[in-house]
Amino acid sequence: MATKKKRTSNVDNDSWVVIAPGGLENAASLYMLGCGDVMLYEVKAFEDDFHSWFVGQAVQRDGRLIFVTPLDPLFLILPYLIKSGKEGKFQRVDQVVKDEEFPACSRLLSCARTLASLHHIAEEKEVESQMYHRYSQEKTMNWLKKKVERTVIALKKKNVSVGEGVKSSTYVRVKSETDNQEEDFIRYSHGLISEYISEDLSKALLTHLGLPELTSPKETEPPSKKRKLSDKPVEAGEDYTKFNSADFARKPPKKMTAAQKSLAKVDKTGMKPMSSFFSPKVKAEKK
Amino acid sequence: MDLSPFEDDNSVSCRLVSEIPEVCKTEDCCLGIDEAGRGPVLGPMVYGICFCPLSRKEELKDLKVADSKTLTEAERENLFEKLDEAKSYVGWALQILSPNTISTCMLRRTKYNLNALSHDTAIDLVQYALDSGVQLKEIYVDTVGPADKYEHKLSQRFPGIQVTVRPKADSLFPVVSAASICAKVARDRVVKGWNFTEDLGEVDTDYGSGYPNDPKTKAWLLKYLDPVFGYPQFVRFSWSTAQTLMDSKAVNVHWDDDEEDGEKAAQRQSNKSMLSYFSVSAGGSTSAPKK
């Protein structure tokens, strides 16, 4: 995900803006608007342990690499439209895309592709040369499906390994399996798109794509021990309680071997029982 | 001795050789191996071999070559001249291991320690002599590590050659003394005229003997410590003297193969200490194990 640093002031004045994407994590993220708000870019950082940069004559301690890549503004507009769509009315987008917490979101409307592509996710109505919009789930699904299909093409072009068992994109299969590869590609692509939409939408999209939801295998419990079935009342096989009776308490054994006798004579003052070594004092434990 | 091949690039290992005397290719020869600059934190370690026909072993003695450590620098230079004059029957070869080579070998991911590096360098030099056609029959070496193990290693590596590994071989066998003089002279010259590849401006060359316990060396190391880069390549980074100074005075650098002691590593992986399982707090008050 993009970096999640909150910026409170001066956000509107520069091209770096913080917007809540309404995606899976719903956390505010950093975006960039370019070319006088015409282009939207998402900001992602590559971070890994044990990296630093030499920049000119200076050293930068974290080896972070920030990627600024174009992003379709519709992904950020979508949550606002869905929210207002619940009212079921046609509304002006500038009324819909409003956020007190993230005022920069209204600037998304000036992006080149925003107004022209709103019809992908909303029904449009023109009244007295004024455009009104209403969120359409059906249109959105079709739009997202196209996104998935395009991503599949991109994945194939880049030879990304997909499918179950592939945890890393640098993993390359020695033998490419042709069967079921198409579904794997679609699922992988769906996963990528899901990073930009809400969980509900992601599930709906999966259904729309005609793919059953994958159920993660439940943790298999160890099979319970078979018990013998019998009509007899349950009784302990061995009775240990007899050792607890008073008359069993610590009677010295009557006969001791020579070695035991000599051990019994040892001066035991100051010696601790074995168990004391396993229970350190509470105070000593708090460091 | 022409040191320019090394001085052109003093960041790597470099071999300098004399001409092989013709008589060494026809007569049975003996060969001595010794090194100079094993201990210093500054400068290269130089490995030297010297060889001559068995029949002329005694003539080396007459040159009064002796253990290089007992000689002054001028005497060593003088003796090296004499060895050079005897080139009709004495040959030599040197391997200069730059401080940078030593650092990178010892500090690489799969550690390559100084003894292994020394043994391999010695073996390479003997192999060079054999490849050049020297009729080797006897090898004499000053010991590095346990003598019998080293002797066994060399005998296995060079079957048919009589190998003798002895402590203080440089004072026992003239051919080893000769090798020791070649190595020592080369090291002295290289250290004296060290070309700093780093841009340090006017370098203070008063670094003393280069041994870690020399106060002058220590002062020099302190003076030339860069907080980011540490030291010029003249310094062996793998020496604890250099490492201790960098640990205390330079910026911390973490590598992903850093060895952390058990407790630290466990903390990083947020593992519990084994002990925490034994400390059921008395009185039933449950206190979370401190991290």
Side-chain angles (χ1 to χ4, degrees), chain A residues 215-224:
Chain A
T215 46
S216 52
K218 276 179 192 165
E219 276 182 49
T220 48
E221 282 173 38
S224 55

Side-chain angles (χ1 to χ4, degrees), chain B residues 38-113:
Chain B
R38 190 178 170 76
V41 62
L42 300 178
M45 180 162 85
V46 181
Y47 250 84
I49 57 167
C50 219
F51 45 88
C52 70
L54 286 173
S55 56
R56 307 182 77 162
K57 232 179 182 177
E58 293 308 305
E59 286 178 51
L60 267 186
K61 225 180 224 166
D62 298 340
L63 289 177
K64 297 224 165 45
V65 290
D67 174 11
S68 65
K69 287 184 198 90
T70 63
L71 304 169
T72 64
E73 200 177 325
E75 285 172 318
R76 280 197 300 265
E77 287 283 345
N78 200 14
L79 278 171
F80 183 72
E81 288 297 307
K82 281 191 186 167
L83 280 172
D84 206 35
E85 281 161 24
K87 63 178 157 205
S88 60
Y89 68 97
V90 178
W92 52 264
L94 298 172
Q95 192 75 30
I96 307 178
L97 299 166
S98 71
N100 186 48
T101 305
I102 296 169
S103 303
T104 51
C105 280
M106 291 173 73
L107 295 174
R108 65 176 61 162
R109 255 165 211 265
T110 39
K111 302 282 175 279
Y112 183 28
N113 71 38

Side-chain angles (χ1 to χ4, degrees), chain A residues 57-242:
Chain A
Q57 292 299 309
V59 183
Q60 176 64 35
R61 69 177 301 154
D62 62 3
R64 282 213 303 183
L65 185 58
I66 308 274
F67 291 89
V68 177
T69 47
L71 179 66
D72 188 337
L74 282 196
F75 281 116
L76 297 185
I77 302 262
L78 198 52
Y80 295 105
L81 264 177
I82 291 175
K83 206 171 142 201
S84 74
K86 285 180 182 137
E87 297 162 30
K89 284 186 283 192
F90 279 88
Q91 291 181 69
R92 271 166 50 196
V93 274
D94 56 331
Q95 295 296 315
V96 171
V97 186
K98 248 184 184 172
D99 198 327
E100 278 175 22
E101 209 184 334
F102 306 103
C105 74
S106 60
R107 289 167 67 187
L108 292 171
L109 296 173
S110 55
C111 288
R113 296 173 63 188
T114 309
L115 296 179
S117 56
L118 270 176
H119 64 90
H120 286 300
I121 57 171
E123 292 168 53
E124 292 181 312
K125 218 179 227 179
E126 196 176 344
V127 180
E128 290 163 13
S129 70
Q130 179 77 54
M131 293 299 284
Y132 293 87
H133 290 87
R134 185 170 70 182
Y135 170 69
S136 160
Q137 174 95 1
E138 194 195 335
K139 283 185 153 198
T140 303
M141 283 301 128
N142 286 331
W143 172 68
L144 287 172
K145 192 181 175 189
K146 271 184 218 159
K147 290 268 181 205
V148 170
E149 285 161 0
R150 286 189 183 189
T151 309
V152 167
I153 294 169
L155 286 173
K156 286 181 177 167
K157 223 171 165 180
K158 296 270 177 201
N159 279 324
V160 177
S161 290
V162 297
E164 271 183 285
V166 178
K167 292 259 162 65
S168 158
S169 55
T170 50
Y171 175 90
V172 179
R173 278 184 210 277
V174 178
K175 194 177 72 180
S176 72
E177 297 132 84
T178 42
D179 59 320
N180 237 5
Q181 269 283 81
E182 195 59 31
E183 185 185 325
D184 285 341
F185 268 112
I186 295 172
R187 277 195 192 281
Y188 194 95
S189 168
H190 169 263
L192 290 178
I193 298 291
S194 293
E195 282 176 33
Y196 295 88
I197 55 179
S198 69
E199 206 172 334
D200 288 346
L201 270 184
S202 166
K203 277 182 187 162
L205 177 57
L206 205 57
T207 322
H208 189 70
L209 290 168
L211 293 173
E213 213 170 308
L214 284 180
T215 46
S216 52
K218 276 179 192 165
E219 276 182 49
T220 48
E221 282 173 38
S224 55
K225 271 187 189 172
K226 273 186 188 168
R227 282 184 194 172
K228 280 180 199 162
L229 289 174
S230 77
D231 294 320
K232 286 176 186 170
V234 179
E235 222 172 79
E238 281 172 83
D239 184 10
Y240 295 103
T241 55
K242 63 185 177 194

Side-chain angles (χ1 to χ4, degrees), chain B residues 150-225:
Chain B
Y150 192 21
E151 194 169 285
H152 182 71
K153 188 175 177 180
L154 287 173
S155 306
Q156 290 245 304
R157 182 69 181 69
F158 300 109
I161 301 178
Q162 164 93 43
V163 180
T164 311
V165 179
R166 283 288 150 71
K168 300 211 172 74
D170 51 351
S171 52
L172 295 171
F173 311 104
V175 74
V176 180
S177 312
S180 139
I181 284 162
C182 293
K184 189 83 176 147
V185 165
R187 178 175 147 89
D188 283 348
R189 291 192 191 175
V190 165
V191 169
K192 238 184 194 171
W194 187 261
N195 286 328
F196 286 90
T197 44
E198 298 81 7
D199 182 14
L200 299 172
E202 197 60 24
V203 189
D204 172 10
T205 52
D206 190 19
Y207 31 69
S209 66
Y211 278 85
N213 54 6
D214 184 333
K216 269 189 177 175
T217 303
K218 266 198 167 163
W220 191 88
L221 283 174
L222 263 177
K223 187 175 170 187
Y224 282 95
L225 176 65

